[in-house]
């Protein structure tokens, strides 16, 4: 054994303790750390011939990068849809790396754990047993996996086995949606269906949810044409939901695959206050739900729930690999999703679900929604801002109270100033044709005090740049 490995092996416990202390120090001040930072260009030393050992690497990491660790997992990071990491989830994540089981190996505990965790998740979301689940890296891969099964189903309608013959054997395929997430469109490209296969249906007035009449009309114009419909259950700007029950009802009259992108909106199912947004979702063919968002486990983790595992098997099976066994006889998750070798990414979720239970998740969801709604009310009162849509769940979408033509530049200057201060992080967006901003609250750490702090900060920066732009305009 190389001398440095030998040294590290003999001091493994010490290194783990040092790392835990380092992580503990970071987490201990996560509330005070900046949520964002302008990254300078950092010089990159080459690969050393002789290493410096684990402790040396930790010290080097701290020296070079320690000052740039920002609070992405902190309580006032409202960018994208970014959950934090619960204490139990972190402990599960560390253990997943420590035991480093390849979840593809059915002779290990990994398979049992994965199966149990998916069972817990089905219960959390009140999804019927008929849904087979599988873990993937994120909602993008989950959408990809669900749509791959959908593509296989579409092929069957035309007597084509896409897994065997390829997409070239398919006729012109259409994928319908009203407000699809960019990852859905990306998946169409990856699947060989092409971005142009997307037919964008109109939404209800002032909403991001599909106008179901537009879907009915498309069906009327294209009778007997099987297609894929991708429903939104939680859009990123306004957390709007398609009327899934109405869409699912059309399945009785016309053949189509219903995939639901419920990346974070799926968590409506954990609270009786919001469950109705998902009415009818248990009739979907496949459902995407992210875990690294509202489940508050670390990146990267999501699930696909599917009523047609057999179609997934056709697409993702490792056929003819004798050492993996016969995919049809020997159930293994590697034959139901893109990845073969897989991290035991169920473990952080298992820890967190066991640690906090259904009640814990109901509380996170209800708390975050109350906070987002309060955040929206306070913004409206401030005079600087206006909401562009009611705060339905965990996202507030807002812009400045000013002429539309000035918005883009004002938001640019505002976000630059806001991000320099690092107290609260929101991201720019476009909504209803207007430059806007959005704040997504899905972190278990966020408190009402954080909401007050965040609003004060947004008001202070808005007031400061108002002064600046007044000066600019007068000169
Ligand atoms: C975040 C998100 C995705 C993509 O998820 P990743 O985890 O980033 O791959 C897809 N759909 C919706 C609605 C999302 O919010």
């Amino acid at each position: 054994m190389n001398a440095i490995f030998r040294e590290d092996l003999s001091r493994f416990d010490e290194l783990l303790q040092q790392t835990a202390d380092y992580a503990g120090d970071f987490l201990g001040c996560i509330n005070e750390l900046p949520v964002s930072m302008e990254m300078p260009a950092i010089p990159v030393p080459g690969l050393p011939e002789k290493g410096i050992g684990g402790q040396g690497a930790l010290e080097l990491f701290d020296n070079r990068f320690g000052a740039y660790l920002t609070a992405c997992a902190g309580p006032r990071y409202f960018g994208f849809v970014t959950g934090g990491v619960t204490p139990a989830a972190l402990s599960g994540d560390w253990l997943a790396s420590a035991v480093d089981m390849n979840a593809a190996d059915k002779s290990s505990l990994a398979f049992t754990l994965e199966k149990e965790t998916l069972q817990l998740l089905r219960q959390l979301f009140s999804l019927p047993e008929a849904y087979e689940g599988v873990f993937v890296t994120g909602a993008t891969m989950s959408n990809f996996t669900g749509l791959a099964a959908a593509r296989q189903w579409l092929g069957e309608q035309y007597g084509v086995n896409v897994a065997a013959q390829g997409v070239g054997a398919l006729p012109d395929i259409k994928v319908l949606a009203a407000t699809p997430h960019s990852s859905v469109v990306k998946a169409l490209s990856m699947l060989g269906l092409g971005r142009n296969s997307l037919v964008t249906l109109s939404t209800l007035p002032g909403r991001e949810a599909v106008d179901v009449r537009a879907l009915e009309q498309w069906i009327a114009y294209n009778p007997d044409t099987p297609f894929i419909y991708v429903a939104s259950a939680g859009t990123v700007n306004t957390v709007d939901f398609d009327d899934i029950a109405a869409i699912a009802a059309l399945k009785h009259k016309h053949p189509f695959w219903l995939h639901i992108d419920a990346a974070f909106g799926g968590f409506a199912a954990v609270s009786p206050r919001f469950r109705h947004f998902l009415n009818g979702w248990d009739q979907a063919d496949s459902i995407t739900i992210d875990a690294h968002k509202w489940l508050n486990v670390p990146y990267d983790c999501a699930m696909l729930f599917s009523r047609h595992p057999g179609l997934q098997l056709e697409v993702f099976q490792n056929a003819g690999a004798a050492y993996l066994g016969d995919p049809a006889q020997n159930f293994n998750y590697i034959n139901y999703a893109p990845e073969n070798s897989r991290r035991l990414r169920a473990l952080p979720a298992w820890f967190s679900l066991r640690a906090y239970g259904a009640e814990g998740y109901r509380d996170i969801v209800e708390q975050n929604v109350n906070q987002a709604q309060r955040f929206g009310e306070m913004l409206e009162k401030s005079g600087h801002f206006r909401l562009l849509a009611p705060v339905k769940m965990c996202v507030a979408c807002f812009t400045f109270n000013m002429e539309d033509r000035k918005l883009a530049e004002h938001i640019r200057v505002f976000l630059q100033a806001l991000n320099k201060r690092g107290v609260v992080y929101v991201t720019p967006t476009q909504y209803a044709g207007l430059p806007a901003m959005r704040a997504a609250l899905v972190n278990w750490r966020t408190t009402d005090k954080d909401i007050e702090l965040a609003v004060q900060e947004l008001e202070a920066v808005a007031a400061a740049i108002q002064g600046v732009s007044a000066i600019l305009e007068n000169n």
Side-chain angles (χ1 to χ4, degrees):
M1 189 186 281
N2 171 292
I4 304 178
F5 281 123
R6 201 161 51 228
E7 171 71 11
D8 264 7
L9 181 58
S10 72
R11 301 179 48 211
F12 213 151
D13 278 355
E14 221 176 305
L15 179 61
L16 288 180
Q17 196 51 58
Q18 284 165 347
T19 312
D21 290 345
Y22 190 83
D25 287 348
F26 168 80
L27 293 171
C29 58
I30 199 166
N31 286 1
E32 287 79 45
L33 286 174
V35 291
S36 61
M37 182 177 288
E38 246 173 85
M39 281 297 295
I42 300 177
V44 183
L47 176 72
E49 170 59 24
K50 212 167 168 49
I52 51 177
Q55 188 182 340
L58 182 59
E59 282 163 8
L60 181 64
F61 173 83
D62 184 42
N63 286 336
R64 292 191 55 215
F65 306 120
Y68 306 115
L69 295 178
T70 50
C72 289
R76 277 169 275 95
Y77 184 95
F78 300 158
F80 306 94
V81 184
T82 304
V85 179
T86 67
L90 182 58
S91 110
D93 198 65
W94 280 358
L95 269 183
S97 292
V99 301
D100 196 27
M101 281 178 188
N102 181 357
D105 182 356
K106 264 194 79 175
S107 70
S108 74
L109 170 68
F111 178 77
T112 307
L113 262 171
E114 192 159 0
K115 203 163 170 241
E116 176 174 322
T117 310
L118 287 163
Q119 178 65 16
L120 298 179
L121 286 162
R122 263 192 302 267
Q123 287 169 11
L124 180 70
F125 298 119
S126 308
L127 280 174
E129 295 278 323
Y131 283 94
E132 187 61 70
V134 63
F135 279 101
V136 288
T137 55
T140 301
M141 279 322 277
S142 177
N143 281 329
F144 173 86
T145 306
L147 292 173
R151 184 187 62 178
Q152 192 66 14
W153 171 84
L154 259 179
E156 272 184 4
Q157 312 309 302
Y158 292 105
V160 173
N161 179 349
V162 179
Q165 296 165 261
V167 286
L170 282 176
D172 193 24
I173 292 302
K174 293 297 177 210
V175 179
L176 279 59
T179 319
H181 188 267
S182 61
S183 64
V184 168
V185 189
K186 176 174 175 171
L188 297 182
S189 158
M190 292 195 289
L191 285 162
L193 295 174
R195 296 175 194 268
N196 293 348
S197 63
L198 181 71
V199 177
T200 309
L201 298 176
S202 50
T203 54
L204 294 168
R207 295 272 307 272
E208 288 189 298
V210 70
D211 183 346
V212 178
R213 286 169 309 178
L215 176 57
E216 286 175 312
Q217 213 163 53
W218 191 92
I219 291 174
Y221 282 125
N222 301 273
D224 307 319
T225 311
F227 63 94
I228 301 167
Y229 184 80
V230 182
S232 285
T235 55
V236 291
N237 275 335
T238 67
V239 199
D240 211 345
F241 292 73
D242 281 356
D243 184 344
I244 297 168
I247 294 165
L250 299 175
K251 274 167 77 78
H252 301 303
K253 298 182 219 150
H254 191 91
F256 65 96
W257 181 284
L258 176 57
H259 174 77
I260 302 181
D261 182 355
F264 63 97
F267 282 80
V270 311
S271 160
R273 274 172 59 192
F274 310 116
R275 202 166 285 156
H276 63 278
F277 292 145
L278 294 166
N279 278 349
W281 80 325
D282 53 357
Q283 292 168 67
D285 296 287
S286 50
I287 300 175
T288 284
I289 306 178
D290 242 327
H292 53 219
K293 289 177 179 167
W294 233 340
L295 198 68
N296 280 258
V297 302
Y299 292 110
D300 37 24
C301 187
M303 295 76 65
L304 178 79
F305 292 100
S306 161
R307 283 185 174 275
H308 310 276
L311 290 168
Q312 275 163 270
L313 180 65
E314 285 181 38
V315 179
F316 296 110
Q317 65 180 280
N318 290 270
Y323 77 108
L324 294 174
D326 177 355
Q329 301 301 320
N330 179 18
F331 183 93
N332 188 328
Y333 290 109
I334 65 171
N335 293 315
Y336 294 83
E339 296 156 307
N340 279 344
S341 293
R342 303 154 72 240
R343 164 186 178 73
L344 182 49
R345 61 170 58 87
L347 199 53
W350 184 92
F351 263 73
S352 208
L353 288 162
R354 290 285 178 204
Y356 312 113
E359 178 195 67
Y361 280 99
R362 189 163 61 241
D363 283 353
I364 294 179
V365 166
E366 293 183 352
Q367 222 167 67
N368 284 156
V369 175
N370 290 345
Q371 289 162 347
Q373 289 175 339
R374 182 155 158 66
F375 177 81
E377 281 163 23
M378 289 168 80
L379 283 187
E380 287 247 280
K381 281 200 194 118
S382 81
H384 292 289
F385 303 98
R386 65 191 155 106
L387 286 176
L388 288 176
V391 181
K392 193 164 186 158
M393 281 189 81
C394 55
V395 178
C397 186
F398 59 100
T399 195
F400 283 100
N401 255 335
M402 61 169 56
E403 285 172 69
D404 291 356
R405 63 179 180 88
K406 292 188 180 166
L407 286 175
E409 176 60 10
H410 206 74
I411 289 174
R412 194 186 63 77
V413 173
F414 174 79
L415 289 180
Q416 209 169 30
L418 188 76
N419 291 343
K420 247 193 206 129
R421 294 161 51 121
V423 176
V424 56
Y425 191 71
V426 302
T427 35
T429 189
Q430 284 271 119
Y431 180 71
L434 291 180
M437 291 166 281
R438 54 186 287 288
L441 281 71
V442 289
N443 191 311
W444 68 283
R445 283 180 182 272
T446 306
T447 63
D448 296 350
K449 183 100 189 84
D450 288 305
I451 300 307
E452 273 163 40
L453 250 174
V455 174
Q456 275 166 21
E457 175 71 2
L458 292 174
E459 284 178 350
V461 176
I465 68 155
Q466 202 171 34
V468 173
S469 50
I471 293 166
L472 288 178
E473 274 181 27
N474 289 337
N475 285 338

